[in-house]
Amino acid sequence: MTLAASSALPVSKKTLDTPCPAEAEVDSSSTAAEYIAEGCLTDGPLGRVGLELEAHCFDPADPYRRPRWEEITAILKQLPRLPGGSAVTVEPGGAVELSGPPEDGVVAAIAAMSDDQAVLRRVFADSGLGLVFLGSDPLRSPQRINPGSRYRAMEQFFAASDSGKAGAAMMTSTASVQVNLDAGPQAGWAARVRLAHALGPTMIAIAANSPMLGGEFSGWVSTRQWVWGQMDSARCGPILGVSGDDPGTDWARYALKAPVMLVNNPGTADCAPVTHWVPFADWADGLQLLGDRRPTVADLEYHLTTLFPPVRPRQWLEIRYLDSMPDDFWPAVVYTLVALLDDPEAAAIAAEAVEPVATAWDNAARLGLCDRRLYEAANRCVAVAAERAPAELTDAMERLVRYVEKGRCPGDDFADRVIDHGIAAEVARAAQLTQGGP
């Protein structure tokens, strides 16, 4: 079975060249592997960029309080159509996410997302709430407010696993910037996927913006990445195989080994958690039945949405390892990442620069740019990107270059202000800033 190229990135659904109904049964793990591998990436030119930004929702008057589901959804009902066309969703813990449609180039994607952010902030400010752009909630304990069946079942899945605490924090206390890029020509897929992974530690160190969790300094510059690192590696670890020469095979192998998290109840919007370890391959091969049945194509597609590697192939590439950042940083960080992947000369330089730290995920999250090798790689990468920056991003890139040269990341500014003013006061101030306050 082959998959047709999607007409939109990053929100389109896959469509089949030949009929394959969602209710069709998956008769074996080999059939599932073929389906996954052939739908992994789409052959085509580079150029389109889609962005997704998450922000924690706070009440500046009481930053310890988590706004209720009813409060947030009432605000969203007042939201006009956003100028850049972003969709708005609410994460399990009340974080608000903007998901932008694909744009032709990174500059257009940044401009559209900035416009949508401005409208979203104004509407929340009119209701007395603010949006705080940090990789982890620095103050409140994990708590799910989204009543959706998927998130309720996900919470139950994590509670029954060895990663219950990390799962709760991941769902309700972390926020990111996600960058979605075309897969590009098929001949370059392997190198492109390898570079997207290899850039991860260096980009995490540059973007680190989550030094606190639950009211305490964690000792990690990217606590968000630390939380994800505590999760089951079969679901959240990198997907690359030994060689990384065949992204489709790597993704199929990863997905089939990963345990099934949720099973949809046919004909309903409800899903149930799977609280014992069942790799999807075992379900497909009939070694274990879930819901008293074999999986369908719809079950396989849904399973893929419950896998959270740092780089996820969805016909395009979802790059998921950046902390949420404020406006002073995220456009420059996004531009840097896209330039290093989409510009051939920059990609070659970046691949050489990050090779010594290509797997240093933990060091990046814990030490950031205090790690000498990450510091060297980061400086080379931002310098290469800055050389290519358009006029619209010159100031932002110069600011990022200065920070990286000093070995600083976005979270250092937040940490300094917490030390000076206290955590609650700083969170309230950050929420007021997004309201247009002092």
Side-chain angles (χ1 to χ4, degrees):
M1 61 187 74
T2 58
L3 296 172
S6 63
S7 60
L9 165 109
V11 294
S12 66
K13 293 288 290 180
K14 293 178 181 177
T15 57
L16 292 166
D17 284 339
T18 54
C20 185
E23 64 272 16
E25 186 176 276
V26 177
D27 59 8
S28 69
S29 60
S30 60
T31 298
E34 180 185 0
Y35 183 93
I36 296 167
E38 292 188 1
C40 176
L41 298 171
T42 297
D43 186 22
L46 299 175
R48 293 179 300 169
V49 179
L51 300 179
E52 301 181 29
L53 270 66
E54 296 173 338
H56 304 283
C57 184
F58 279 94
D59 180 352
D62 182 4
Y64 288 96
R65 183 179 80 86
R66 189 180 293 271
R68 303 185 312 278
W69 172 253
E70 295 76 14
E71 287 180 82
I72 296 174
T73 53
I75 294 171
L76 295 183
K77 289 178 182 178
Q78 305 169 32
L79 194 66
R81 180 175 175 81
L82 297 176
S86 291
V88 185
T89 53
V90 182
E91 295 298 301
V96 181
E97 180 180 44
L98 286 173
S99 300
E103 299 287 348
D104 291 329
V106 64
V107 174
I110 289 170
M113 181 56 67
S114 297
D115 290 344
D116 287 353
Q117 267 193 319
V119 175
L120 187 71
R121 285 167 163 164
R122 285 198 299 270
V123 173
F124 270 79
D126 289 343
S127 298
L129 299 180
L131 300 174
V132 176
F133 295 85
L134 288 164
S136 61
D137 186 329
L139 190 58
R140 302 169 301 195
S141 299
Q143 180 187 355
R144 178 178 62 85
I145 67 162
N146 188 324
S149 172
R150 173 182 169 97
Y151 295 131
R152 184 172 64 251
M154 190 178 292
E155 184 178 61
Q156 294 169 350
F157 170 88
F158 285 127
S161 73
D162 293 335
S163 55
K165 186 175 180 180
M170 178 275 286
M171 289 177 62
T172 68
S173 300
T174 63
S176 68
V177 175
Q178 182 173 301
V179 181
N180 302 293
L181 301 175
D182 283 313
Q186 184 171 358
W189 284 355
R192 185 164 172 79
V193 172
R194 283 197 301 269
L195 180 57
H197 282 83
L199 283 167
T202 298
M203 294 305 304
I204 286 169
I206 291 170
N209 191 40
S210 49
M212 302 188 72
L213 183 68
E216 298 180 348
F217 283 101
S218 66
W220 296 66
V221 295
S222 178
T223 305
R224 183 202 57 81
Q225 180 63 27
W226 173 79
V227 168
W228 282 92
Q230 300 305 299
M231 306 289 290
D232 174 19
S233 62
R235 169 164 271 105
C236 300
I239 68 171
L240 289 182
V242 175
S243 66
D245 288 335
D246 185 351
T249 297
D250 287 344
W251 180 225
R253 182 185 298 114
Y254 183 102
L256 292 174
K257 289 176 65 177
V260 180
M261 173 185 278
L262 311 172
V263 175
N264 279 308
N265 296 318
T268 75
D270 292 334
C271 54
V274 179
T275 54
H276 56 293
W277 187 276
V278 181
F280 193 92
D282 287 1
W283 191 17
D285 287 330
L287 300 179
Q288 296 197 55
L289 299 183
L290 298 174
D292 295 322
R293 61 181 176 82
R294 296 280 283 269
T296 63
V297 170
D299 290 317
L300 176 53
E301 289 282 0
Y302 194 74
H303 173 64
L304 297 179
T305 73
T306 69
L307 307 179
F308 311 113
V311 179
R312 182 165 68 173
R314 296 190 62 191
Q315 296 188 312
W316 58 92
L317 292 182
E318 280 185 353
I319 300 176
R320 307 167 52 87
Y321 43 62
L322 300 176
D323 279 7
S324 180
M325 292 164 278
D327 289 349
D328 284 349
F329 287 95
W330 74 258
V333 172
V334 164
Y335 175 79
T336 297
L337 178 59
V338 176
L340 298 179
L341 282 164
D342 281 7
D343 182 294
E345 291 183 2
I349 296 170
E352 179 185 356
V354 303
E355 192 276 333
V357 290
T359 60
W361 299 90
D362 283 350
N363 271 3
R366 182 168 57 91
L367 301 173
L369 298 177
C370 290
D371 180 287
R372 178 184 57 80
R373 297 189 306 165
L374 285 164
Y375 174 83
E376 292 172 355
N379 274 278
R380 287 190 67 188
C381 285
V382 296
V384 168
E387 291 172 358
R388 291 159 170 77
E392 303 95 316
L393 293 171
T394 298
D395 291 345
M397 285 304 302
E398 288 178 351
R399 183 186 308 113
L400 182 63
V401 167
R402 289 195 300 271
Y403 264 74
V404 172
E405 286 176 346
K406 294 176 182 177
R408 289 181 66 84
C409 60
D412 289 334
D413 290 348
F414 177 79
D416 289 347
R417 290 191 294 265
V418 167
I419 292 169
D420 290 342
H421 305 295
I423 176 61
E426 175 52 26
V427 170
R429 187 196 72 87
Q432 288 167 347
L433 280 177
T434 65
Q435 292 182 324

